[in-house]
Amino acid sequence: MTTDTAKTAPHSAPGSPPGPADRSARPGRQSGPANDERLRRWRLVLGGDSAESTGCTLTGRDAEMDGALTALYGGAGRPGGRGGSNRSAGLGASAPSVARWLGDIRTYFPSSVVQVMQRDAIDRLGLSALLLEPEMLEVVEADVHLVGTLLSLNKAMPETTKQTARAVVRKVVDDLEKRLATRTRATLTGALDRSAKINRPRHRDIDWDRTIRANLKNYLPEYGTVVPERLIGFGRAAQSVKKDVILCIDQSGSMAASVVYASVFGAVLASMRTLHTRLVVFDTAVVDLTDQLDDPVDVLFGTQLGGGTDINRALAYCQSKISRPADTVVVLISDLYEGGIRDEMLKRVAAMKASGVQFVTLLALSDEGAPAYDRDHAAALGALGAPAFACTPDLFPEVMAAAIEKRALPIPDKENRR
């Protein structure tokens, strides 16, 4: 009888929760701590009626964790909700209940998971308005995505909330600067040194690799050495090199994370005396925020996420600020969905490159993965010798160093080169 039942019982897919027939047919294989833990995990994932086949009942901390998940992801009719489930989203529309929920998820889940759940709560349950309340901002887990949401709400934010919002943004910005500033300065200082070659260097400034290659014809085999008739060295950037950098940032709503990172990098670059950095943000209008670069928080609150896009107008402004094209790097950060005059935009890029400007196009400056972008415009820029690609914050110093040294850009993924 047992054998017949085993033959006719439906088999569960690998890793899936076993059905009732599985448990009755093979009781010996369905017991033990390992299986109990697997059923517990499936119960937390499925929730409510959908998980009844697991036969697992949650108690204590697990039940509280399930309640926090149910409040966000449960409920038929909710975006992503499960039809037929008893789960129902329970955050409500009040700041106290949301604040309690935020405290719960920070208790039960690691910080990286908390940030994902916060973003889902804002997107799925329409909680953006609650971020305008100071008590809410005091309990959220601050990250780049939250900063983007706050910036999009900036104009609607009451004065009583702005101080708290600035504190949240300040925390994220300070953390990013600590992570990114040292490596950025070190990488770009080296690039600036290497970009200024001199032929009468002091001993400590000699570029030995280039010097040896340039004097190989003077090799003396009997002495096993090269006579360096011509010395090649690095210039001292602090004394002899100065580059102009223009960051031109699309502030449409989809570019929120890129705006945050670009503002932080802008402040870091502006702190280097060997660089003259200009920061320009645009939608259908163009705003120069260079005079606020000493504080990236001021820069961020000077942006206005959302609206249209006129890349051509922004590039026209940047072009008007170029006085030394051979020593200028222009970085356009945009998804390239152009609302202005496409042909004029491409002509401006071509003209800047022809004059000696190093032109870099970043489809995104963030850790969010592959971005959405206008592939036709990206391909057109690539044909002009200005390949467009997405860039992570960790790669950005290397991209800038390559542009300063006028060498090939470290494009991370050929799929992004359009």
Side-chain angles (χ1 to χ4, degrees):
M1 186 68 170
T2 303
T3 304
D4 293 338
T5 304
K7 287 181 179 178
T8 58
H11 293 284
S12 298
S16 64
D22 292 309
R23 292 195 301 277
S24 62
R26 293 174 294 184
R29 295 190 181 186
Q30 298 299 321
S31 60
N35 186 65
D36 290 345
E37 174 62 15
R38 184 164 69 95
L39 293 177
R40 168 185 169 272
R41 289 174 177 268
W42 271 110
R43 171 61 182 82
L44 286 169
V45 169
L46 297 175
D49 289 346
S50 300
E52 288 306 313
S53 63
T54 65
C56 178
T57 301
L58 300 178
T59 60
R61 183 183 177 90
D62 286 347
E64 294 172 357
M65 189 185 303
D66 185 58
L69 291 168
T70 297
L72 175 56
Y73 297 112
R78 291 278 182 179
R82 299 177 179 86
S85 170
N86 285 337
R87 283 191 172 194
S88 59
L91 294 185
S94 68
S97 64
V98 176
R100 285 193 298 273
W101 178 79
L102 287 169
D104 287 344
I105 64 174
R106 292 169 73 176
T107 299
Y108 303 132
F109 303 101
S111 177
S112 58
V113 175
V114 168
Q115 292 172 4
V116 172
M117 293 180 73
Q118 285 180 173
R119 293 199 297 273
D120 286 349
I122 291 170
D123 294 340
R124 295 163 61 93
L125 304 181
L127 300 182
S128 296
L130 291 177
L131 292 177
L132 301 179
E133 302 187 28
E135 61 268 29
M136 272 287 293
L137 291 178
E138 291 171 357
V139 295
V140 291
E141 189 81 19
D143 68 347
V144 169
H145 304 280
L146 177 64
V147 170
T149 301
L150 291 177
L151 295 179
S152 68
L153 298 171
N154 184 24
K155 301 303 179 184
M157 195 175 291
E159 290 300 322
T160 54
T161 305
K162 284 190 175 181
Q163 185 174 355
T164 307
R166 287 184 71 91
V168 172
V169 174
R170 173 74 62 191
K171 179 181 183 300
V172 174
V173 166
D174 288 347
D175 289 345
L176 289 177
E177 279 197 291
K178 289 177 184 177
R179 178 165 72 88
L180 302 172
T182 300
R183 180 167 173 264
T184 300
R185 292 191 185 100
T187 301
L188 296 190
T189 297
L192 288 163
D193 283 346
R194 290 188 294 273
S195 70
K197 296 293 186 292
I198 57 176
N199 294 321
R200 297 183 63 185
R202 293 173 292 182
H203 185 271
R204 65 177 180 175
D205 296 333
I206 295 174
D207 183 341
W208 288 108
D209 287 341
R210 284 175 169 262
T211 295
I212 291 171
R213 285 199 297 269
N215 291 279
L216 285 176
K217 62 182 179 180
N218 300 321
Y219 177 67
L220 300 179
E222 62 272 25
Y223 295 102
T225 189
V226 171
V227 177
E229 287 185 344
R230 175 172 166 244
L231 297 177
I232 300 175
F234 302 130
R236 304 311 298 173
Q239 299 173 11
S240 59
V241 178
K242 187 173 182 180
K243 296 286 185 178
D244 297 333
V245 175
I246 302 177
L247 300 177
C248 186
I249 309 168
D250 183 344
Q251 61 176 351
S252 58
S254 60
M255 301 296 294
S258 297
V259 170
V260 175
Y261 281 113
S263 299
V264 172
F265 276 117
V268 173
L269 298 181
S271 70
M272 300 177 64
R273 289 179 297 175
T274 54
L275 294 175
H276 177 266
T277 303
R278 182 177 297 275
L279 189 144
V280 176
V281 298
F282 68 92
D283 41 36
T284 53
V286 180
V287 180
D288 193 326
L289 298 175
T290 303
D291 60 351
Q292 299 178 36
L293 270 175
D294 58 333
D295 187 347
V297 176
D298 286 341
V299 170
L300 288 171
F301 277 94
T303 63
Q304 184 174 347
L305 292 177
T309 307
D310 193 336
I311 303 173
N312 177 55
R313 174 177 290 186
L315 291 181
Y317 178 83
C318 294
Q319 192 175 22
S320 71
K321 298 300 178 180
I322 297 173
S323 58
R324 303 183 308 145
D327 292 316
T328 299
V329 178
V330 174
V331 182
L332 172 65
I333 304 174
S334 173
D335 54 18
L336 301 180
Y337 289 109
E338 169 67 316
I341 306 174
R342 176 184 186 273
D343 291 342
E344 288 297 317
M345 174 190 76
L346 297 175
K347 286 180 182 178
R348 291 190 191 283
V349 175
M352 282 189 271
K353 286 189 62 64
S355 69
V357 171
Q358 296 298 300
F359 195 92
V360 179
T361 307
L362 301 182
L363 301 169
L365 177 56
S366 72
D367 288 315
E368 294 182 324
Y373 62 96
D374 189 304
R375 294 180 179 272
D376 290 339
H377 288 162
L381 288 172
L384 295 175
F389 58 98
C391 177
T392 64
D394 288 337
L395 182 63
F396 184 73
E398 298 296 336
V399 171
M400 289 300 301
I404 287 172
E405 295 182 64
K406 300 184 178 181
R407 54 182 170 84
L409 300 176
I411 300 176
D413 184 352
K414 291 181 179 180
E415 288 300 316
N416 286 328
R417 194 185 314 183
R418 292 286 187 263

